[in-house]
Amino acid sequence: MTRTDLLALTPDILAALANRGLVKRAAKELDAGAGPDLDVTDDHTVHGRFPDGTETRLPPGTTLQDARCSCEAHGVCRHRIGLVLAYQRTATASDTPPPFTDWSPGSIDDTALAEAFGRSALTAARRPHDRGYRAVLHRPTPADPVPAVELPACTVRFPVPHRPGFAVTDAAEPLHGATVVLAVWAFRAADTEGSDQVTVGGRETTPDHGDSAHRAAMELVDELLVEGVPQAGPVLDGTLRRAGAALTAAGRHWPAAALEGIRHQHAARGARHDRETHALLLAELHARHRAAPTDPAAVLGTAETARTALRRVRLVALGCHVDGSAGDRTADVFFAHPDAGVVLVLHKRWERPDGQAPTGHDLGSRRILGTNLRTLAAANVVSEATSRTAGRAVEISRGRIATTSVTPVGTAWDDLPAGLLVTDLAAQFPAPGTLPPRLVRPRVEAESMRVLAVAEAGPVRYDPAAQRLEAVLHDPAGNEVLLSSAHNPHCPGTLDALADALASGTVDRISGTLRHDRGRVHLVPLAVRTSHGVLVPDLAPGDGDTALPVAPHPPDDPLTTALERALAALAEAAHHGLRNLTATDHDTLESAAALLHRTGFRTTADKVTAVTTTLRTHGPGPATSHWHTAVIRLATNLELHRTGP
């Protein structure tokens, strides 16, 4: 290892190569005077002899994993780490820090990759490369000199320039070499295209590669659209499962996820059944099929790995959201993965016993991973038994061999990377530019989940018409954001707890989902940090009977009203079934089309009119295509209008 290599290995990088506990132990031993005696030989090998007699050597060109240590530990041991830390501490004052290197891992050739990981790693990487995969790149800067790439199910960083053996990934050890190879190939493709978001590889396939499964799913969706939700029979659940399995087997993960959403909507048929959500899911199957030729990997998810095992990871809880239906309760616990710079979601579901209606506060005592939900939702989790899906759902197990520890979150929110901790909204959460419409974007959970630094929180106001609590916040840079939290019938204490926390004057961090809405940034809160610690409102006690200051209801936006009314009319038609529409339903659709036309959405109005015209002249079957077209257009227009200035 060269001097530059050794100095590039920061404590965070060393922790990623081994684990944080070994780094802390090695540092404590150095502080206690139990470090090694150092010697640098003529061939630049760094040699250390520890007080316990252990000898460790770091020859030039050798990674920590391959360095020689007489302790014979498998993998990176505390002696190897201790030797690196000792060398860094004894660097003379005349040594200048390594200069910033503006480089791309795409410059690493396959020969160097084979030398670092073996030909088997390139062979293993060739399979996902042939399927094609999406990658988001982060170029090195003086402020963050480590280039990185986000692959579908893990992140790879390159702390030492031109040395792939030092690359760090959160994928499990058997996948380490292949994921680094995929990351290098992603940089190579990005360097050629001049872009930082690329689709890499992908062989030309026959037109029916997965298309028959997709078309079968669309036929099923059209049947649901014609017949309606109330008429769906008991065999629907199994039919949807089989269709989803066929899509997954064909590698079309995003359409499969949409079909699973439809299945959940039909299973709920209660509090969680939302007619607009159901309509958008039906249309999504068709939208993705139509958009697939533009970028199959992104639109269909063909580049995604269904599930990827991770090595030892540290996760920081950001709170949880509770939901439910007549038959169950669910909790989604959100975790920041600092090393990967993403947020993952842990899903938990409980059957609801007859005669019981547990609230979010009641669920707080339920056990997950050996602790209760209330503790887990505000904790640091370190686990060696973790896997994540391409959609960023995470599974964590507690076994006799693999270990998982849960500790209080403390100040971990302060140490989140800039991509997750927002201190300047204008710089870190700019208005969306050229993102594809949500109906055809990759299906990534919690893509807009962040922790917002709060410098000032204004007074709370309650809109009784919308059953929504609001407050104006300012970040440290002075940017304004509107906190907006809707009433949750399963968590009656949420709004009261949130109002009390904001009124305390000690809120400095709030986790939640950020979104743009008509030129303004909105924050839907998940958890709040005050001087007393982290509060998760959905798990708070209370009956929701506190009197809150009433806010005036904002004036309606005629454009939004026209789009929402038309989308609601089409969603209602899908719920009843196109075969079962009454004269009143037709009048509602025609009235919605007329309103669209008056507000300037003439082409969209024509698409809605085509639904009723085709129903009358040709029947429900031919009308399904027009219905999908109208919903896709309405949803896209509404999204663009809400996120625009």
Side-chain angles (χ1 to χ4, degrees), residues 484-508:
S484 179
S485 181
H487 169 68
N488 184 342
H490 308 296
C491 306
T494 294
L495 299 188
D496 291 350
L498 189 57
D500 288 343
L502 292 170
S504 72
T506 63
V507 172
D508 68 345

PDB file of all heavy atoms in Angstrom, residues 484-508:
ATOM      1  N   SER A 484     -47.293  19.709   6.788  1.00  0.00           N
ATOM      2  CA  SER A 484     -48.695  19.376   6.558  1.00  0.00           C
ATOM      3  C   SER A 484     -48.936  17.931   6.967  1.00  0.00           C
ATOM      4  O   SER A 484     -48.350  17.010   6.386  1.00  0.00           O
ATOM      5  CB  SER A 484     -49.041  19.581   5.078  1.00  0.00           C
ATOM      6  OG  SER A 484     -50.370  19.245   4.822  1.00  0.00           O
ATOM      7  N   SER A 485     -49.782  17.737   7.983  1.00  0.00           N
ATOM      8  CA  SER A 485     -50.033  16.391   8.499  1.00  0.00           C
ATOM      9  C   SER A 485     -51.530  16.142   8.571  1.00  0.00           C
ATOM     10  O   SER A 485     -52.260  16.875   9.246  1.00  0.00           O
ATOM     11  CB  SER A 485     -49.410  16.232   9.888  1.00  0.00           C
ATOM     12  OG  SER A 485     -49.625  14.924  10.395  1.00  0.00           O
ATOM     13  N   ALA A 486     -52.002  15.110   7.875  1.00  0.00           N
ATOM     14  CA  ALA A 486     -53.433  14.805   7.830  1.00  0.00           C
ATOM     15  C   ALA A 486     -53.833  13.919   9.006  1.00  0.00           C
ATOM     16  O   ALA A 486     -53.033  13.129   9.524  1.00  0.00           O
ATOM     17  CB  ALA A 486     -53.783  14.112   6.516  1.00  0.00           C
ATOM     18  N   HIS A 487     -55.077  14.032   9.410  1.00  0.00           N
ATOM     19  CA  HIS A 487     -55.625  13.187  10.472  1.00  0.00           C
ATOM     20  C   HIS A 487     -55.547  11.722  10.066  1.00  0.00           C
ATOM     21  O   HIS A 487     -55.888  11.349   8.941  1.00  0.00           O
ATOM     22  CB  HIS A 487     -57.081  13.577  10.739  1.00  0.00           C
ATOM     23  CG  HIS A 487     -57.815  12.606  11.612  1.00  0.00           C
ATOM     24  ND1 HIS A 487     -57.534  12.424  12.945  1.00  0.00           N
ATOM     25  CD2 HIS A 487     -58.841  11.746  11.315  1.00  0.00           C
ATOM     26  CE1 HIS A 487     -58.341  11.515  13.446  1.00  0.00           C
ATOM     27  NE2 HIS A 487     -59.148  11.085  12.479  1.00  0.00           N
ATOM     28  N   ASN A 488     -55.095  10.878  11.002  1.00  0.00           N
ATOM     29  CA  ASN A 488     -55.012   9.439  10.783  1.00  0.00           C
ATOM     30  C   ASN A 488     -55.975   8.770  11.750  1.00  0.00           C
ATOM     31  O   ASN A 488     -55.767   8.816  12.964  1.00  0.00           O
ATOM     32  CB  ASN A 488     -53.574   8.955  11.024  1.00  0.00           C
ATOM     33  CG  ASN A 488     -53.391   7.478  10.727  1.00  0.00           C
ATOM     34  OD1 ASN A 488     -54.359   6.723  10.650  1.00  0.00           O
ATOM     35  ND2 ASN A 488     -52.151   7.048  10.563  1.00  0.00           N
ATOM     36  N   PRO A 489     -57.062   8.152  11.262  1.00  0.00           N
ATOM     37  CA  PRO A 489     -58.062   7.572  12.176  1.00  0.00           C
ATOM     38  C   PRO A 489     -57.507   6.466  13.060  1.00  0.00           C
ATOM     39  O   PRO A 489     -58.078   6.176  14.114  1.00  0.00           O
ATOM     40  CB  PRO A 489     -59.142   7.036  11.222  1.00  0.00           C
ATOM     41  CG  PRO A 489     -58.450   6.866   9.910  1.00  0.00           C
ATOM     42  CD  PRO A 489     -57.412   7.938   9.844  1.00  0.00           C
ATOM     43  N   HIS A 490     -56.413   5.839  12.646  1.00  0.00           N
ATOM     44  CA  HIS A 490     -55.815   4.772  13.449  1.00  0.00           C
ATOM     45  C   HIS A 490     -54.850   5.312  14.504  1.00  0.00           C
ATOM     46  O   HIS A 490     -54.378   4.551  15.351  1.00  0.00           O
ATOM     47  CB  HIS A 490     -55.074   3.784  12.546  1.00  0.00           C
ATOM     48  CG  HIS A 490     -55.917   3.278  11.414  1.00  0.00           C
ATOM     49  ND1 HIS A 490     -57.049   2.523  11.606  1.00  0.00           N
ATOM     50  CD2 HIS A 490     -55.801   3.451  10.076  1.00  0.00           C
ATOM     51  CE1 HIS A 490     -57.592   2.239  10.440  1.00  0.00           C
ATOM     52  NE2 HIS A 490     -56.857   2.785   9.496  1.00  0.00           N
ATOM     53  N   CYS A 491     -54.549   6.614  14.435  1.00  0.00           N
ATOM     54  CA  CYS A 491     -53.597   7.239  15.358  1.00  0.00           C
ATOM     55  C   CYS A 491     -54.186   8.562  15.850  1.00  0.00           C
ATOM     56  O   CYS A 491     -53.760   9.644  15.417  1.00  0.00           O
ATOM     57  CB  CYS A 491     -52.254   7.477  14.672  1.00  0.00           C
ATOM     58  SG  CYS A 491     -51.544   6.009  13.909  1.00  0.00           S
ATOM     59  N   PRO A 492     -55.168   8.506  16.734  1.00  0.00           N
ATOM     60  CA  PRO A 492     -55.859   9.738  17.138  1.00  0.00           C
ATOM     61  C   PRO A 492     -54.980  10.749  17.847  1.00  0.00           C
ATOM     62  O   PRO A 492     -55.303  11.931  17.886  1.00  0.00           O
ATOM     63  CB  PRO A 492     -56.969   9.225  18.068  1.00  0.00           C
ATOM     64  CG  PRO A 492     -56.506   7.880  18.531  1.00  0.00           C
ATOM     65  CD  PRO A 492     -55.720   7.311  17.393  1.00  0.00           C
ATOM     66  N   GLY A 493     -53.848  10.313  18.411  1.00  0.00           N
ATOM     67  CA  GLY A 493     -52.987  11.239  19.129  1.00  0.00           C
ATOM     68  C   GLY A 493     -51.944  11.934  18.279  1.00  0.00           C
ATOM     69  O   GLY A 493     -51.181  12.760  18.792  1.00  0.00           O
ATOM     70  N   THR A 494     -51.890  11.628  16.984  1.00  0.00           N
ATOM     71  CA  THR A 494     -50.815  12.141  16.128  1.00  0.00           C
ATOM     72  C   THR A 494     -50.771  13.666  16.083  1.00  0.00           C
ATOM     73  O   THR A 494     -49.726  14.279  16.344  1.00  0.00           O
ATOM     74  CB  THR A 494     -50.965  11.589  14.699  1.00  0.00           C
ATOM     75  OG1 THR A 494     -50.756  10.177  14.713  1.00  0.00           O
ATOM     76  CG2 THR A 494     -49.944  12.221  13.761  1.00  0.00           C
ATOM     77  N   LEU A 495     -51.876  14.299  15.735  1.00  0.00           N
ATOM     78  CA  LEU A 495     -51.866  15.751  15.539  1.00  0.00           C
ATOM     79  C   LEU A 495     -51.641  16.492  16.854  1.00  0.00           C
ATOM     80  O   LEU A 495     -50.946  17.522  16.874  1.00  0.00           O
ATOM     81  CB  LEU A 495     -53.165  16.212  14.878  1.00  0.00           C
ATOM     82  CG  LEU A 495     -53.454  15.627  13.483  1.00  0.00           C
ATOM     83  CD1 LEU A 495     -54.667  16.316  12.868  1.00  0.00           C
ATOM     84  CD2 LEU A 495     -52.253  15.753  12.565  1.00  0.00           C
ATOM     85  N   ASP A 496     -52.207  15.983  17.947  1.00  0.00           N
ATOM     86  CA  ASP A 496     -51.996  16.631  19.243  1.00  0.00           C
ATOM     87  C   ASP A 496     -50.525  16.574  19.642  1.00  0.00           C
ATOM     88  O   ASP A 496     -49.955  17.569  20.110  1.00  0.00           O
ATOM     89  CB  ASP A 496     -52.845  15.961  20.325  1.00  0.00           C
ATOM     90  CG  ASP A 496     -54.334  16.223  20.131  1.00  0.00           C
ATOM     91  OD1 ASP A 496     -54.671  17.075  19.285  1.00  0.00           O
ATOM     92  OD2 ASP A 496     -55.145  15.573  20.817  1.00  0.00           O
ATOM     93  N   ALA A 497     -49.913  15.399  19.470  1.00  0.00           N
ATOM     94  CA  ALA A 497     -48.500  15.251  19.835  1.00  0.00           C
ATOM     95  C   ALA A 497     -47.619  16.140  18.963  1.00  0.00           C
ATOM     96  O   ALA A 497     -46.657  16.753  19.445  1.00  0.00           O
ATOM     97  CB  ALA A 497     -48.076  13.789  19.700  1.00  0.00           C
ATOM     98  N   LEU A 498     -47.947  16.213  17.694  1.00  0.00           N
ATOM     99  CA  LEU A 498     -47.180  17.047  16.772  1.00  0.00           C
ATOM    100  C   LEU A 498     -47.320  18.525  17.136  1.00  0.00           C
ATOM    101  O   LEU A 498     -46.333  19.275  17.142  1.00  0.00           O
ATOM    102  CB  LEU A 498     -47.653  16.791  15.346  1.00  0.00           C
ATOM    103  CG  LEU A 498     -46.850  17.387  14.196  1.00  0.00           C
ATOM    104  CD1 LEU A 498     -45.404  16.923  14.247  1.00  0.00           C
ATOM    105  CD2 LEU A 498     -47.485  16.983  12.866  1.00  0.00           C
ATOM    106  N   ALA A 499     -48.543  18.947  17.458  1.00  0.00           N
ATOM    107  CA  ALA A 499     -48.771  20.349  17.837  1.00  0.00           C
ATOM    108  C   ALA A 499     -48.014  20.698  19.112  1.00  0.00           C
ATOM    109  O   ALA A 499     -47.412  21.776  19.213  1.00  0.00           O
ATOM    110  CB  ALA A 499     -50.270  20.594  18.016  1.00  0.00           C
ATOM    111  N   ASP A 500     -48.025  19.802  20.091  1.00  0.00           N
ATOM    112  CA  ASP A 500     -47.303  20.049  21.351  1.00  0.00           C
ATOM    113  C   ASP A 500     -45.801  20.177  21.103  1.00  0.00           C
ATOM    114  O   ASP A 500     -45.139  21.047  21.681  1.00  0.00           O
ATOM    115  CB  ASP A 500     -47.570  18.920  22.343  1.00  0.00           C
ATOM    116  CG  ASP A 500     -48.985  18.957  22.905  1.00  0.00           C
ATOM    117  OD1 ASP A 500     -49.640  20.007  22.778  1.00  0.00           O
ATOM    118  OD2 ASP A 500     -49.433  17.932  23.451  1.00  0.00           O
ATOM    119  N   ALA A 501     -45.263  19.299  20.249  1.00  0.00           N
ATOM    120  CA  ALA A 501     -43.825  19.341  19.970  1.00  0.00           C
ATOM    121  C   ALA A 501     -43.443  20.647  19.291  1.00  0.00           C
ATOM    122  O   ALA A 501     -42.448  21.291  19.659  1.00  0.00           O
ATOM    123  CB  ALA A 501     -43.427  18.145  19.105  1.00  0.00           C
ATOM    124  N   LEU A 502     -44.233  21.070  18.308  1.00  0.00           N
ATOM    125  CA  LEU A 502     -43.923  22.311  17.604  1.00  0.00           C
ATOM    126  C   LEU A 502     -44.065  23.521  18.523  1.00  0.00           C
ATOM    127  O   LEU A 502     -43.311  24.497  18.406  1.00  0.00           O
ATOM    128  CB  LEU A 502     -44.835  22.458  16.390  1.00  0.00           C
ATOM    129  CG  LEU A 502     -44.608  21.443  15.258  1.00  0.00           C
ATOM    130  CD1 LEU A 502     -45.727  21.522  14.225  1.00  0.00           C
ATOM    131  CD2 LEU A 502     -43.261  21.669  14.584  1.00  0.00           C
ATOM    132  N   ALA A 503     -45.019  23.459  19.443  1.00  0.00           N
ATOM    133  CA  ALA A 503     -45.229  24.579  20.365  1.00  0.00           C
ATOM    134  C   ALA A 503     -44.140  24.665  21.430  1.00  0.00           C
ATOM    135  O   ALA A 503     -44.000  25.707  22.080  1.00  0.00           O
ATOM    136  CB  ALA A 503     -46.595  24.446  21.032  1.00  0.00           C
ATOM    137  N   SER A 504     -43.363  23.596  21.614  1.00  0.00           N
ATOM    138  CA  SER A 504     -42.329  23.597  22.654  1.00  0.00           C
ATOM    139  C   SER A 504     -41.189  24.553  22.335  1.00  0.00           C
ATOM    140  O   SER A 504     -40.441  24.958  23.229  1.00  0.00           O
ATOM    141  CB  SER A 504     -41.766  22.182  22.832  1.00  0.00           C
ATOM    142  OG  SER A 504     -40.953  21.810  21.713  1.00  0.00           O
ATOM    143  N   GLY A 505     -41.029  24.879  21.052  1.00  0.00           N
ATOM    144  CA  GLY A 505     -39.943  25.771  20.658  1.00  0.00           C
ATOM    145  C   GLY A 505     -38.575  25.126  20.643  1.00  0.00           C
ATOM    146  O   GLY A 505     -37.563  25.811  20.474  1.00  0.00           O
ATOM    147  N   THR A 506     -38.511  23.792  20.795  1.00  0.00           N
ATOM    148  CA  THR A 506     -37.209  23.107  20.843  1.00  0.00           C
ATOM    149  C   THR A 506     -37.002  22.154  19.677  1.00  0.00           C
ATOM    150  O   THR A 506     -36.054  21.378  19.680  1.00  0.00           O
ATOM    151  CB  THR A 506     -37.063  22.326  22.165  1.00  0.00           C
ATOM    152  OG1 THR A 506     -38.068  21.293  22.225  1.00  0.00           O
ATOM    153  CG2 THR A 506     -37.212  23.254  23.362  1.00  0.00           C
ATOM    154  N   VAL A 507     -37.893  22.192  18.670  1.00  0.00           N
ATOM    155  CA  VAL A 507     -37.745  21.300  17.513  1.00  0.00           C
ATOM    156  C   VAL A 507     -36.549  21.745  16.676  1.00  0.00           C
ATOM    157  O   VAL A 507     -36.455  22.915  16.284  1.00  0.00           O
ATOM    158  CB  VAL A 507     -39.018  21.306  16.650  1.00  0.00           C
ATOM    159  CG1 VAL A 507     -38.786  20.545  15.356  1.00  0.00           C
ATOM    160  CG2 VAL A 507     -40.182  20.713  17.420  1.00  0.00           C
ATOM    161  N   ASP A 508     -35.626  20.828  16.400  1.00  0.00           N
ATOM    162  CA  ASP A 508     -34.484  21.176  15.547  1.00  0.00           C
ATOM    163  C   ASP A 508     -34.315  20.231  14.361  1.00  0.00           C
ATOM    164  O   ASP A 508     -33.526  20.503  13.457  1.00  0.00           O
ATOM    165  CB  ASP A 508     -33.191  21.220  16.365  1.00  0.00           C
ATOM    166  CG  ASP A 508     -32.759  19.855  16.877  1.00  0.00           C
ATOM    167  OD1 ASP A 508     -33.584  18.911  16.851  1.00  0.00           O
ATOM    168  OD2 ASP A 508     -31.602  19.719  17.321  1.00  0.00           O
TER     169      ASP A 508
END
